Amino acid sequence: MTHAELLGYAAAACVFVTFYMKTMVPLRIAGIVSNFLFIGYGYALDAYPVLILHLVLLPLNIVRLQQMLRLIKQIEDVTRGDVNLKWVKPFSTTKAVAVGDAVFRRGDPADEMFFIVSGRFRVQERNVDLQTGEIFGELGLLDAGQARTATVECMASGELLRITYDQVKQLCLQDPKFGFYFLHLVSKRLFHNLSLESRNGQPG
C-alpha cells in the first residue's frame, strides 16, 4: 500500500468518525484533520478536484472552530461574573426602543431574549430597573406555555440586541457547554427573582 493510499484511508476514516460526533468542537477538529489528509492525498495522486475541495474547506473549518471556541470562552467569562454579554451580537439583530415603549407585556408570546446595549428598562411587576449590559427575557424559553411572566418598558431610550429562542436552541444543540452556561444564566435570574419576592414579602 502506498503512502498516498494510506493518506486516503486515514482521511476517509476521519470523515466516518465525524458522523458519530454530537458536538461541534471535536467535529470541526476531525474535519480539519481530514482536510489535511485529503490535501496530501490529492497532491500525491494529482487528484485536483479533491485537492481544491479540501483547500477550500480547510480555512472554513478553522474559522468555524475559532468562532465556537471564542463563544465558549465568552460564556465562561459570563459565569465568572463578567456582565459583558456581547457574545450574543453575532447571532442577534438590533432593535431601537423609545421611552414609553413596551418591549413585551405580561402574557405576550415569548420567543426571543434581549441584551441591553444602551438605555434603561423596567420590569413593571417587580419595580426593578435593568441597565446596560444586562440580559432579560431568557426565562420565557423555559416556560411550558412560552408566555411572558412580566412587562418590560423602556424608561430611557436605547438599543437592544435580540436573539430568538430558535437560535438559542440551535447553539445548545451544537455544543452542550453552551447549554450548560445558558442554564447557569437562567438559574441566576431565577434565584434573583426569588430573592426579590422574598424581600417584598411575596410567596416564592
Side-chain angles (χ1 to χ4, degrees):
M1 184 179 294
T2 66
H3 290 298
E5 289 175 327
L6 284 173
L7 286 172
Y9 283 120
C14 283
V15 174
F16 182 78
V17 168
T18 62
F19 284 94
Y20 286 90
M21 292 180 175
K22 297 180 180 179
T23 57
M24 291 301 295
V25 171
L27 188 150
R28 291 295 181 186
I29 293 173
I32 290 169
V33 172
S34 71
N35 291 150
F36 277 114
L37 293 172
F38 272 121
I39 288 169
Y41 172 77
Y43 179 79
L45 295 183
D46 294 331
Y48 294 112
V50 173
L51 177 62
I52 293 172
L53 172 63
H54 289 276
L55 283 172
V56 172
L57 289 177
L58 176 60
L60 177 61
N61 273 323
I62 291 174
V63 168
R64 294 304 188 198
L65 176 61
Q66 290 175 333
Q67 289 175 338
M68 185 56 65
L69 292 175
R70 192 180 305 117
L71 176 63
I72 291 171
K73 182 181 183 303
Q74 289 170 334
I75 299 172
E76 287 173 341
D77 289 341
V78 169
T79 66
R80 289 195 291 266
D82 182 2
V83 297
N84 180 7
L85 296 180
K86 291 184 180 178
W87 50 268
V88 302
K89 193 167 185 178
F91 311 97
S92 64
T93 57
T94 59
K95 178 179 181 178
V97 190
V99 175
D101 288 349
V103 181
F104 52 74
R105 298 188 182 278
R106 185 172 185 173
D108 285 351
D111 56 4
E112 55 193 5
M113 65 184 195
F114 302 88
F115 168 74
I116 303 175
V117 178
S118 62
R120 183 167 58 88
F121 300 81
R122 178 168 295 171
V123 184
Q124 295 295 344
E125 287 79 359
R126 299 184 178 91
N127 199 30
V128 173
D129 284 350
L130 305 173
Q131 308 289 345
T132 298
E134 292 194 64
I135 192 169
F136 65 93
E138 75 279 15
L139 290 181
L141 181 61
L142 303 182
D143 183 8
Q146 288 204 325
R148 297 298 184 190
T149 59
T151 299
V152 175
E153 291 187 1
C154 180
M155 308 304 293
S157 298
E159 185 178 78
L160 298 172
L161 293 180
R162 177 170 57 188
I163 179 170
T164 68
Y165 290 158
D166 285 341
Q167 290 171 308
V168 173
K169 291 175 184 176
Q170 183 179 0
L171 289 170
C172 288
L173 288 173
Q174 286 180 348
D175 198 290
K177 270 192 174 184
F178 181 93
F180 174 80
Y181 291 118
F182 179 76
L183 182 61
H184 179 90
L185 292 175
V186 172
S187 65
K188 285 175 64 177
R189 173 73 66 184
L190 285 170
F191 283 120
H192 177 69
N193 289 349
L194 287 172
S195 176
L196 289 175
E197 290 177 354
S198 177
R199 287 203 298 268
N200 291 334
Q202 297 176 1

